[in-house]
Amino acid sequence: MKENNKKAKVDLVSKADHSLLTCTGEWSLHSITDAAKKLKTAIRQVPDQSRIILDISSVSELDSAGTILLLQFINAAERSMNEIDIVGANKKHQIMFKMYKDQIHDKPTKKRIDNILTRLLIKTGKTTLSSLNEVILFVAFLGESVTALLFYIRHPSSIRFGAIAKNIEEAGIRALPIVALTSFLIGVVIAYQSAVQLEKFGANIFIVDMIGISVTRELAPLITAIVVAGRSGSSYTAQIGVMKLTEEIDAMKTMGFNPFRFLVLPRMIALMIAMPLMIFLADIMGIAGGMLISKLQLNLSFSEFIQRLQNVVDTKHLWVGLIKGPVFAWLIATVGCFRGFQVSYNTESIGRYTTISVVNAIFLVIASDAIFSIIFTELGI
Amino acid sequence: MTKIVVKMENIVTRFGENLVHDDVSLSVREGEIYGLLGGSGSGKSTLLREMIMLLKPDSGSVTVLDTDVLNLSAREAETIRIKWGVLFQSGALYTSLTIAENIGIGLKEYTDIPVELRDDIVRAKISMVGLPEYAAGLYPSELSGGMVKRASLARALAMDPSILFLDEPTSGLDPVGAEAFDKLILALRDSLGFTVVMVTHDLDSIWTIVDRFCVLGDRKVIAEGILDDVMQIDHPVIHNFFKGNRGAIRSKAQYGK
C-alpha cells in the first residue's frame, strides 16, 4: 500500500545561519503521529535564539490536527526566542493557520498540588464534609416526609389510596413467590445443620424449638427485608431517579403536586403494610421447610412437629418478628426514595445511587435488627 | 459537475403499517449546506438516521462518500463513521464525561496522536465554536441549552469530518442564539470546506445559510433545489410552509411580493 508516502514527515537540516525543516506528506489526523514525535525532538535539536525556516510547500493535505501541531511547534520555537519563517504556504494552508492561530495560545498554568500529604488531607476533608452534608440532607428528607405524613393525617381525603394499592401489589404481592422460596430454603438449611448436631445428643425434638423461634423472631423478618431491599428499594431509587432526570419531578412541583405526597408516602405506606404480611408468609414457609427436613432427617412426623410447636413457641416470638416489619419497610422505602432524589443530571448516577441505596438499606436493616435484639433482650421478651 | 457526497435513491420506509417514505430520492453535493425540510412527522429525521446508519430503509439505496452504507462490513462501517460528524437534536453529549472529554473521545479512541496535541485540538475546537475556556472542565448538565449545542458541534467537528449531519441544530435556541449558530456553521463550512446536511424547520436558517434543500411531504420529495426554484413550485405543502404567516413576512422582505 502507499500508506507510507502519505505519512507526514519532517526533515531537519542544519545550515550555516539557519535550520531548515521540510515538511512533506499528508498532515492529517491519522498520519501525523510520527511527525509529532519528530517535531518534539527537533525543537530540542535546534539551538535557541536561532533562525528556523519551516517549509510546508510539499504538504499535500493539512487538517486541523496538522495545523495545530505546526502551531504548537511555532509557539514552542518562539518561546525559545527563535526566529521562525514559514515558507510555501498555499492558500488553503493560510486559511487554516489563520483560523487556528488565535485559538492556540499558551496553556493556562494549572495549579497542581503535588504533595501527597496535602492531597490526602484535601481528600479527607472533602469526603468528611460531603458525608456530613449527606446526613443533613437525610434529616431534611425525613423531616419533609413527616410533614407530608402529618398533612395526610389532617387531610385523609388526600391520601393516595390508589397509588398505595398499586405499590402494595408491586412491592408486596409480586414479591411473594421469591420471599416464600427464599425463606423455605432458609428453613431447610437451618434444619439440616441443626439436625446433625441435635441427633448427636438424641435431642431430636428440640429442632422444633430451634426452627420455630429462630425463624419467627429473626430469620423470616431479616430474609424478607433483604429480598425487599434488593427488589423494591432499588426500583424506588431508579424510578425516582429517572423521573428526576426527565424533569418529571420538577413538573410535579410546578403543578403543585408535592413529590412526597405523591411519590414517597404511597411507597412508604404500601411497604409498611405489605412487609408484616410478607414476614408472616415467610414464617410459615420457613417452618414448613424445617418441618420437611425434620421428617426426612429425624423421622419427626408432621403432627408431632406441630404439636410441639404449639407448646413451646409462644405467640410473642411471632409478634417480635412481625413488629420489625414496618420498621424495616420504613427504612428501606426512605433510603430508596432519598437516594432517588439525590440522582443528579447524568445517567451514571442512577446506577451509582441504586447500588448505594441497596447497600444502605441492607446495612440499616441489619443494624436496626441488632438494636431490636438488644431492646427485646433487656426487656426480657 | 460537482461531486455528489450523499445519494439516496428510491427510499421506502415503513414503521409497521405506517408508510413514511414512498420512493424518496435526493442527492447532496460536495461543499454545500443542504437542508431537509418538511412538517412534523414528514420523516426528515428518519431520512437523516438512514444516512448515518442508525436505521435501515425497507428498500432503496443510500450512498455516502461513494460507499454504499446499507451493505457494509463492520470494518468498513467504522472507516466511514469517522469521516462524518453528527449533531443530535438534544446534543446527546455523554453526561458522565466533561465537555473536553466529550470532544476528545473520538481522537482518543481512533488516533494515536500525542496527548498534548489532543488537548490542544480540543481547546481549539472549544474556542472555535465560541465556548468559553472554562467550559472544558464542566459536565453537560452544568451547561445551558445553547452551550450544549455548541459543545456538541465541537464534538462533531473534532475529527475534521467531511460531512456534518445536523438534526435541527437551532431548535430550542432563542432567535439571537439561533442566528449566531447558523453563522457559526456557515463560517466553519467556508473555512474547513465540509458538506453540511441539516434537518430543519427554522425558516430563518433556510433563508440565510442553506444552499439547496428538499421539501418532504406526502411521503415523497415535493421539491429539491435552490430557494428560488422551490418557491416557484405550486404545491400546498410549499404554500403552507413559505406563505403562511411566518414565511410571508420573509417572502415580502426578500421578493417584494
Side-chain angles (χ1 to χ4, degrees):
Chain A
M1 256 172 83
K2 51 178 184 173
E3 273 287 313
N4 259 341
N5 1 332
K6 276 167 73 183
K7 277 229 163 89
K9 275 196 190 130
V10 198
D11 288 308
L12 175 65
V13 184
S14 296
K15 302 236 165 123
D17 62 335
H18 67 271
S19 320
L20 177 67
L21 277 159
T22 319
C23 304
T24 49
E26 201 174 274
W27 283 64
S28 65
L29 196 48
H30 297 281
S31 51
I32 54 165
T33 311
D34 295 339
K37 284 177 198 141
K38 193 81 191 288
L39 275 183
K40 227 176 170 180
T41 45
I43 192 74
R44 269 183 254 128
Q45 288 165 359
V46 174
D48 284 1
Q49 298 175 345
S50 69
R51 186 153 181 260
I52 302 172
I53 294 179
L54 190 62
D55 182 4
I56 57 170
S57 54
S58 333
V59 170
S60 59
E61 201 158 304
L62 186 68
D63 72 352
S64 309
T67 315
I68 292 170
L69 180 62
L70 287 175
L71 283 168
Q72 272 187 342
F73 175 77
I74 294 166
N75 279 348
E78 280 171 353
R79 264 201 299 278
S80 327
M81 312 302 266
N82 292 308
E83 194 184 314
I84 187 155
D85 286 318
I86 305 159
V87 293
N90 66 22
K91 189 130 195 232
K92 172 127 201 279
H93 299 162
Q94 282 169 2
I95 293 175
M96 293 297 279
F97 271 109
K98 205 172 146 229
M99 191 161 72
Y100 283 108
K101 193 157 180 125
D102 301 330
Q103 274 143 15
I104 294 302
H105 32 77
D106 287 334
K107 272 191 197 115
T109 40
K110 263 193 215 146
K111 254 198 234 161
R112 278 204 53 152
I113 302 154
D114 286 325
N115 191 335
I116 190 160
L117 198 67
T118 331
R119 278 217 304 267
L120 189 73
L121 280 175
I122 291 175
K123 184 111 185 146
T124 314
K126 278 189 177 160
T127 317
T128 312
L129 281 179
S130 75
S131 323
L132 275 178
N133 193 33
E134 234 165 63
V135 172
I136 294 169
L137 282 175
F138 189 65
V139 172
F141 183 85
L142 285 182
E144 251 189 279
S145 58
V146 169
T147 322
L149 192 63
L150 290 177
F151 185 89
Y152 258 16
I153 293 166
R154 276 192 60 186
H155 308 272
S157 61
S158 70
I159 300 178
R160 317 274 309 158
F161 290 108
I164 292 174
K166 203 176 135 241
N167 275 305
I168 290 179
E169 192 203 339
E170 196 55 49
I173 296 170
R174 280 170 201 260
L176 288 182
I178 185 71
V179 167
L181 183 64
T182 324
S183 43
F184 182 81
L185 291 176
I186 288 290
V188 166
V189 170
I190 298 292
Y192 253 118
Q193 294 304 320
S194 20
V196 177
Q197 306 301 326
L198 291 170
E199 219 172 5
K200 283 187 198 160
F201 302 102
N204 293 7
I205 194 73
F206 285 102
I207 196 157
V208 182
D209 311 38
M210 184 142 194
I211 300 279
I213 295 174
S214 66
V215 167
T216 50
R217 261 186 100 107
E218 291 294 337
L219 293 172
L222 215 52
I223 293 302
T224 314
I226 289 171
V227 169
V228 169
R231 222 183 143 270
S232 305
S234 59
S235 86
Y236 289 175
T237 310
Q239 281 169 359
I240 293 178
V242 171
M243 289 183 80
K244 199 173 168 202
L245 270 186
T246 54
E247 295 183 319
E248 277 174 70
I249 304 266
D250 294 341
M252 289 178 73
K253 282 183 190 159
T254 55
M255 292 170 80
F257 305 145
N258 182 331
F260 281 88
R261 280 207 303 276
F262 282 75
L263 298 176
V264 178
L265 284 186
R267 286 176 168 76
M268 208 180 264
I269 293 171
L271 212 53
M272 285 169 85
I273 294 171
M275 191 78 128
L277 303 174
M278 289 155 88
I279 292 175
F280 189 68
L281 177 77
D283 286 338
I284 296 170
M285 294 308 289
I287 291 172
M291 206 156 77
L292 182 72
I293 298 308
S294 307
K295 173 149 171 102
L296 296 178
Q297 205 68 11
L298 302 170
N299 288 320
L300 204 62
S301 76
F302 289 160
S303 55
E304 270 179 293
F305 191 102
I306 291 170
Q307 191 155 26
R308 171 88 187 167
L309 193 68
Q310 283 172 335
N311 290 337
V312 296
V313 182
D314 273 349
T315 23
K316 76 168 184 194
H317 297 303
L318 182 73
W319 285 117
V320 165
L322 291 183
I323 225 145
K324 291 176 184 174
V327 179
F328 290 170
W330 177 75
L331 285 171
I332 294 166
T334 312
V335 170
C337 295
F338 171 64
R339 294 299 183 187
F341 280 107
Q342 273 192 314
V343 167
S344 54
Y345 292 95
N346 73 58
T347 40
E348 211 173 62
S349 71
I350 292 197
R352 197 171 62 240
Y353 281 112
T354 309
T355 313
I356 295 178
S357 142
V358 174
V359 173
N360 284 171
I362 291 178
F363 168 76
L364 285 175
V365 161
I366 291 175
S368 64
D369 191 54
I371 296 171
F372 269 122
S373 283
I374 296 169
I375 294 174
F376 287 136
T377 311
E378 291 298 310
L379 290 176
I381 302 172
Chain B
M1 219 7 232
T2 18
K3 213 177 128 198
I4 303 291
V5 286
V6 181
K7 194 167 182 63
M8 299 187 95
E9 280 176 309
N10 314 108
I11 299 293
V12 177
T13 316
R14 249 184 223 100
F15 289 129
E17 291 288 290
N18 187 11
L19 185 64
V20 184
H21 300 133
D22 183 11
D23 198 19
V24 166
S25 303
L26 57 87
S27 52
V28 180
R29 296 174 193 160
E30 190 173 34
E32 72 180 355
I33 299 185
Y34 187 90
L36 285 168
L37 259 79
S40 297
S42 60
K44 315 176 290 280
S45 293
T46 310
L47 219 47
L48 189 80
R49 291 170 74 85
E50 285 168 355
M51 290 180 198
I52 55 179
M53 295 196 281
L54 289 177
L55 205 68
K56 268 201 171 174
D58 291 275
S59 71
S61 73
V62 184
T63 316
V64 180
L65 296 168
D66 301 325
T67 314
D68 173 12
V69 298
L70 297 182
N71 304 296
L72 285 184
S73 68
R75 183 178 288 270
E76 289 168 318
E78 191 171 293
T79 320
I80 184 109
R81 278 192 178 115
I82 50 181
K83 288 187 192 158
W84 68 45
V86 183
L87 170 66
F88 289 92
Q89 199 172 344
S90 57
L93 292 170
Y94 303 118
T95 50
S96 52
L97 304 179
T98 63
I99 299 306
E101 286 166 342
N102 258 292
I103 297 169
I105 191 162
L107 297 167
K108 189 176 167 192
E109 296 300 321
Y110 287 113
T111 70
D112 45 6
I113 54 172
V115 181
E116 314 91 76
L117 180 58
R118 191 171 81 216
D119 287 349
D120 267 349
I121 293 177
V122 168
R123 287 192 314 131
K125 301 286 173 182
I126 286 176
S127 91
M128 203 160 85
V129 297
L131 283 174
E133 206 158 322
Y134 66 82
L138 298 180
Y139 285 90
S141 56
E142 297 167 308
L143 298 187
S144 70
M147 285 168 95
V148 166
K149 290 253 160 147
R150 282 170 189 270
S152 173
L153 179 66
R155 184 178 69 177
L157 288 173
M159 306 273 289
D160 274 23
S162 329
I163 309 184
L164 191 61
F165 292 99
L166 312 171
D167 192 357
E168 304 201 11
T170 53
S171 74
L173 298 182
D174 64 283
V176 179
E179 197 187 331
F181 202 82
D182 277 347
K183 279 192 179 145
L184 176 64
I185 289 168
L186 192 62
L188 290 172
R189 193 276 309 257
D190 288 346
S191 46
L192 293 172
F194 47 71
T195 310
V196 179
V197 178
M198 63 194 279
V199 169
T200 184
H201 40 221
D202 184 340
L203 283 169
D204 286 312
S205 307
I206 299 158
W207 296 109
T208 50
I209 68 162
V210 168
D211 297 319
R212 281 170 71 247
F213 63 98
C214 75
V215 183
L216 294 173
D218 299 340
R219 309 182 189 93
K220 289 179 187 301
V221 172
I222 294 170
E224 190 185 16
I226 60 167
L227 185 62
D228 289 348
D229 293 345
V230 174
M231 291 287 284
Q232 303 307 320
I233 294 170
D234 190 27
H235 190 283
V237 174
I238 292 176
H239 201 269
N240 287 340
F241 218 94
F242 292 102
K243 289 164 191 162
N245 277 335
R246 293 165 137 236
I249 301 167
R250 271 291 191 152
S251 301
K252 258 183 209 144
Q254 198 121 346
Y255 293 95
K257 289 186 215 170

